[in-house]
């Protein structure tokens, strides 16, 4: 086997300025620790020494070999796709959360597909309007529904599955299971349900791969294959990067480890906001990278915060806490990104540039960033394969839904303050919205970040309005900003929000549901489920002493966002010069 590390390393360029010397020193130290060989031997001592963490780590490194193992499954996968097409399916709906949905979403939006294959919709929100929209726009009886959950117990995809199983059953009766596929670990409740209901297929994933590292397993490749993606070539690209990062490759030539050293070392030196500069055509890669990095590193009061899809800005908007990652696609050069990267380099802002020859290189980038994330975790001294704070919001949500079952309603408090269409929920007292927001933003310090958490229906118009608010905040406060739709971000950046450093300011945005629909076999609707998730996460943030305000936008989301943007603009300090 020919090692192609030189070729792959050449696609990664470091412009680190004053940080180059400490990065080189760290690389020398990792050479002495033999990190390359120990990673591939799955040595948990690279990260932790206590038995509990070591057991978690030993059972979480299967992604190192997933490409070669999935290569053995390509023929079976091709037969399955041919069967699905032959029996007349016309659409695929993939239902998951976090690691079970973000890779399929990125693959669907980014990768080239063969003609005449099935269109794919990824469902990863409890928003009722979105769910009803899917129901109205797909041919229920001719749609293949994939229920994806590693544990087989994830509440959201199980609720999606129950909802659409009832819809298919109304059309096909006892044959409804023919329209369903499960992707899960061995011996899970979802696997048992699939057997009971006669699902068309159950794909058992490798149990020693965590959800956010599962992109190149069945969780990513089954939906990709159904839509006509060349999954065989994805495996080829992933294995190329695996060889480049292999156990015999010197650390100084290992692209994944080098990238991880940059992430970890600069985070220790205050540059802990990895800001992605990605062409618009590949923007959903940022969603996958958000989960990988935030959920892996945001714990024990430290971490690397991923900043994705932030509007571009001039140099004054960026503080001294950023590291930039420019992903450059050979056939789709973005001139505005090229100019910004050149300006950043002249200004001494540290940056990494990664060159992709074509979109199928996405698979090698997935593996590169997985190795980098594991390496950064070792430098930060954390276990990158657990997610200790994710469960908190889930537990709060479950407790609230139990109250719904017992009392018949969700225990929601009234707003502390009303201002036009806006309702504010906060711990502090304020006379009016301007006073409240001015005091809230005055708490911001250099090195902080501001997170918009939108429990709203995701539409282009809503996203644009949120991005306008995001840009206002970034430019005036000179803070890194993130934007996540709930509950998706609960399985992604939510871990960083509660387990990472207490440097976040959070604006949680909710609104009245324009429509709602019941969840079968429960006494509540998807709208109540989503509100319980928002309230549960708000409680978790407050428990961890985070600076947070909930803003309820009312019945008209656009009117509410417009009013909020106007008030924010009135109270923000002048832009830095």
């Amino acid at each position: 086997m020919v090692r192609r590390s030189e070729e792959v390393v050449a696609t990664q360029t470091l412009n680190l300025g004053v940080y180059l010397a400490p990065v080189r020193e760290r690389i020398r130290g990792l050479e002495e620790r033999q990190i390359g060989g120990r990673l591939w031997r799955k040595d948990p001592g690279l990260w932790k020494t206590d038995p509990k963490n070591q057991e978690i780590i030993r059972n979480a490194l299967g992604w190192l070999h997933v490409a070669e193992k999935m290569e053995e499954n390509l023929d079976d996968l091709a037969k399955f796709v041919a069967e699905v097409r032959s029996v007349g399916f016309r659409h695929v709906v993939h239902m998951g959360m976090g690691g079970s949905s973000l890779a399929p979403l990125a693959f669907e939006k980014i990768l080239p597909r063969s003609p005449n294959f099935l269109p794919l919709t990824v469902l990863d929100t409890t928003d009722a309007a979105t769910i009803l929209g899917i129901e109205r726009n797909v041919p229920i009886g001719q749609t293949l529904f994939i229920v994806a959950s590693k544990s087989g117990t994830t509440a959201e995809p199980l609720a999606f599955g129950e909802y659409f199983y009832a819809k298919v059953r109304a059309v096909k009766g006892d044959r409804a299971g023919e329209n369903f596929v499960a992707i899960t670990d061995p011996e899970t409740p979802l696997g048992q349900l699939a057997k009971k209901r006669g699902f068309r297929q159950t794909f058992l994933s490798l149990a020693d791969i965590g959800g956010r590292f599962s992109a190149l397993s069945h969780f990513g490749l089954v939906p990709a294959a159904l839509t006509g993606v060349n999954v065989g070539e994805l495996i080829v690209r992933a294995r190329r990067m695996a060889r480049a990062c292999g156990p015999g490759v010197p650390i100084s030539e290992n692209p994944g480890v080098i990238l991880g050293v940059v992430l970890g070392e600069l985070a220790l030196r205050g540059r802990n906001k990895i800001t992605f500069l990605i062409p618009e055509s590949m923007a959903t890669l940022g969603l996958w990278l958000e989960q990988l990095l935030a959920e892996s590193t945001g714990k024990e009061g430290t971490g690397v915060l991923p900043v994705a899809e932030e509007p571009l800005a001039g140099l004054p908007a960026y503080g001294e806490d950023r590291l930039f990652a420019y992903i450059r696609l050979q056939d789709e050069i973005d001139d505005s990104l090229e100019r910004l990267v050149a300006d950043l380099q002249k200004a001494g802002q540290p940056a990494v540039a990664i060159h992709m020859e074509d979109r199928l290189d996405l698979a090698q980038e997935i593996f590169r960033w997985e190795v980098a994330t594991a390496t950064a975790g070792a430098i930060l001294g954390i276990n990158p394969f657990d997610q200790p704070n994710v469960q908190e919001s889930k537990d709060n949500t479950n407790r609230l839904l139990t109250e719904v079952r017992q009392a018949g309603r969700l225990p929601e408090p009234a707003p502390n303050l009303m201002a036009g269409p806006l309702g504010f929920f906060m711990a502090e007292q304020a006379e009016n919205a301007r006073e409240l927001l001015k005091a809230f933003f005055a708490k911001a310090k250099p090195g902080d970040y501001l997170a918009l958490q939108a429990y709203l229906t995701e539409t282009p118009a809503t996203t644009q309005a949120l991005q306008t608010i995001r840009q206002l905040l970034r430019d005036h406060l000179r803070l890194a900003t993130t934007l996540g739709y709930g509950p998706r971000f609960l399985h992604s950046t939510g871990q960083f929000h509660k387990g990472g450093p207490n440097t976040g300011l959070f604006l949680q945005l909710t609104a009245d549901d324009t429509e709602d629909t019941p969840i079968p076999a429960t006494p509540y609707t998807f709208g109540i489920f989503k509100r319980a998730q928002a309230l549960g996460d708000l409680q978790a943030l407050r428990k961890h002493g985070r600076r947070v305000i909930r803003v309820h936008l009312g019945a008209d989301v656009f009117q509410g966002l417009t009013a909020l943007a106007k008030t924010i603009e009135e109270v923000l300090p002048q832009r830095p010069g």
Side-chain angles (χ1 to χ4, degrees):
M1 181 182 296
V2 178
R3 195 181 81 219
R4 303 181 66 184
S5 60
E6 293 82 2
E7 173 189 336
V8 178
V9 170
T11 68
Q12 178 173 281
T13 305
L14 309 182
N15 293 281
L16 303 180
V18 297
Y19 300 99
L20 183 58
V23 163
R24 285 176 172 167
E25 182 62 28
R26 177 70 68 171
I27 288 172
R28 284 191 289 270
L30 293 180
E31 287 275 19
E32 293 175 2
R33 292 177 62 192
Q34 300 178 329
I35 188 175
R38 292 173 67 192
L39 172 65
W40 286 88
R41 291 196 302 273
K42 303 180 182 180
D43 179 359
L46 285 173
W47 298 277
K48 290 290 185 179
T49 58
D50 64 284
K52 181 179 178 180
N53 271 298
Q54 289 210 341
E55 183 65 20
I56 293 172
I57 293 165
R58 285 192 188 96
N59 293 319
L61 289 162
W63 55 271
L64 287 164
H65 299 283
V66 68
E68 59 199 71
K69 291 184 178 180
M70 287 303 299
E71 192 169 40
E72 300 169 1
N73 289 273
L74 290 179
D75 288 343
D76 290 340
L77 188 53
K79 290 176 183 176
F80 170 72
V81 172
E83 173 196 315
V84 167
R85 296 183 67 198
S86 69
V87 297
F89 284 107
R90 294 166 49 199
H91 203 98
V92 178
V93 175
H94 182 95
M95 304 178 293
M97 293 300 297
S100 299
S101 64
L102 291 173
L105 184 64
F107 289 170
E108 191 273 329
K109 297 292 185 183
I110 295 171
L111 294 177
R113 302 190 297 273
S114 301
N116 303 319
F117 272 74
L118 300 177
L120 172 70
T121 299
V122 176
L123 173 59
D124 65 347
T125 177
T126 49
D127 177 68
T130 302
I131 294 165
L132 289 166
I134 292 172
E135 179 187 346
R136 293 165 185 152
N137 287 286
V138 303
I140 292 293
Q142 296 167 296
T143 295
L144 186 71
F145 294 92
I146 301 174
V147 187
S149 167
K150 277 193 64 65
S151 67
T153 61
T154 310
E156 296 93 339
L158 292 183
F160 305 151
E162 288 298 318
Y163 183 82
F164 283 106
Y165 183 80
K167 300 301 176 182
V168 177
R169 188 175 174 83
V171 175
K172 299 184 66 172
D174 292 341
R175 295 174 51 221
E178 297 174 353
N179 286 51
F180 284 80
V181 170
I183 307 177
T184 189
D185 281 0
E187 301 180 0
T188 68
L190 174 57
Q192 296 167 9
L193 179 67
K195 184 177 181 180
K196 177 182 177 182
R197 290 183 172 174
F199 280 19
R200 178 171 292 275
Q201 182 90 18
T202 296
F203 291 96
L204 297 180
S205 186
L206 301 171
D208 60 349
I209 302 177
R212 56 189 176 274
F213 289 83
S214 66
L216 298 172
S217 73
H218 286 106
F219 285 98
L221 297 192
V222 170
L226 286 165
T227 60
V229 170
N230 186 345
V231 294
E233 184 61 23
L234 288 182
I235 294 297
V236 169
R237 307 290 178 97
R239 294 198 68 179
R240 180 174 72 183
M241 182 58 75
R243 290 193 297 271
C245 300
V249 178
I251 300 303
S252 59
E253 299 176 16
N254 185 315
V257 171
I258 290 172
L259 179 58
V261 170
V262 174
L263 293 173
E265 189 64 28
L266 269 68
L268 292 177
R269 296 170 182 272
R271 296 274 185 174
N272 63 348
K273 316 292 192 307
I274 176 70
T275 303
F276 293 105
L277 305 175
I278 302 176
E280 186 175 348
S281 62
M282 294 184 58
T284 48
L285 173 58
L287 292 177
W288 181 81
L289 287 166
E290 274 187 334
Q291 191 210 16
L292 177 70
L293 284 161
E295 199 167 66
S296 296
T297 69
K299 56 201 70 169
E300 299 184 34
T302 189
V304 178
L305 177 70
V307 179
E309 297 188 73
E310 190 179 51
L312 300 184
L315 293 178
Y318 299 119
E320 303 301 314
D321 56 349
R322 304 258 195 167
L323 165 66
F324 294 87
Y326 175 32
I327 297 178
R328 189 175 191 267
L329 191 57
Q330 180 171 291
D331 295 331
E332 300 179 39
I333 302 301
D334 186 318
D335 290 338
S336 60
L337 288 179
E338 293 281 317
R339 289 192 295 271
L340 175 58
V341 171
D343 290 343
L344 290 169
Q345 291 176 2
K346 290 177 184 177
Q349 290 276 17
V352 177
I354 294 174
H355 179 82
M356 293 173 56
E357 293 183 9
D358 59 44
R359 295 191 185 202
L360 287 168
D361 271 352
L362 179 62
Q364 78 171 21
E365 295 314 313
I366 285 171
F367 196 88
R368 183 202 306 261
W369 283 94
E370 288 174 343
V371 173
T373 300
T375 303
I379 292 172
L380 294 173
I382 51 92
N383 175 0
F385 306 110
D386 67 352
Q387 47 281 332
N389 299 105
V390 170
Q391 191 61 39
E392 291 180 63
S393 294
K394 293 181 182 179
D395 290 344
N396 288 346
T397 298
N398 290 335
R399 176 177 46 77
L400 292 165
L401 292 176
T402 297
E403 293 190 42
V404 173
R405 290 187 180 95
Q406 295 172 347
R409 63 182 181 83
L410 186 68
E412 290 187 276
N416 302 84
L417 174 69
M418 291 296 300
L422 304 177
F424 292 87
F425 300 76
M426 67 287 183
E428 305 85 355
Q429 296 298 315
E431 293 295 325
N432 54 59
R434 294 181 78 257
E435 178 186 309
L436 170 66
L437 290 174
K438 184 175 182 179
F440 181 68
F441 296 132
K443 297 177 182 178
K445 305 182 296 293
D448 284 347
Y449 68 96
L450 202 144
L452 295 176
Q453 303 178 329
Y455 286 88
L456 309 171
T457 303
E458 185 174 357
T459 68
T462 298
T463 299
Q464 182 55 54
L466 290 167
Q467 288 284 58
T468 297
I469 293 174
R470 183 182 185 184
Q471 186 168 346
L472 267 174
L473 294 167
R474 190 270 319 278
D475 291 351
H476 286 267
L477 298 175
R478 211 184 181 203
L479 297 183
T481 62
T482 65
L483 167 61
Y485 278 96
R488 176 193 289 152
F489 74 81
L490 293 181
H491 299 258
S492 177
T493 51
Q495 168 62 44
F496 189 98
H497 294 161
K498 296 175 281 287
N502 190 0
T503 53
L505 287 82
F506 301 92
L507 282 177
Q508 186 190 86
L509 306 176
T510 60
D512 296 343
D513 288 308
T514 56
E515 50 186 342
D516 204 354
T517 188
I519 302 175
T522 76
Y524 48 85
T525 64
F526 276 106
I528 291 174
F529 189 10
K530 184 176 71 171
R531 295 206 305 276
Q533 289 176 304
L535 185 56
D537 194 47
L538 184 66
Q539 292 172 351
L541 289 169
R542 286 175 173 166
K543 175 186 173 185
H544 286 273
R546 290 351 191 196
R547 294 160 286 178
V548 56
I549 293 177
R550 174 189 170 191
V551 184
H552 191 73
L553 303 173
D556 187 325
V557 169
F558 186 75
Q559 180 188 45
L561 288 174
T562 301
L564 179 60
K566 183 176 185 295
T567 307
I568 288 174
E569 191 167 20
E570 289 172 352
V571 303
L572 284 174
Q574 293 298 310
R575 299 173 188 242

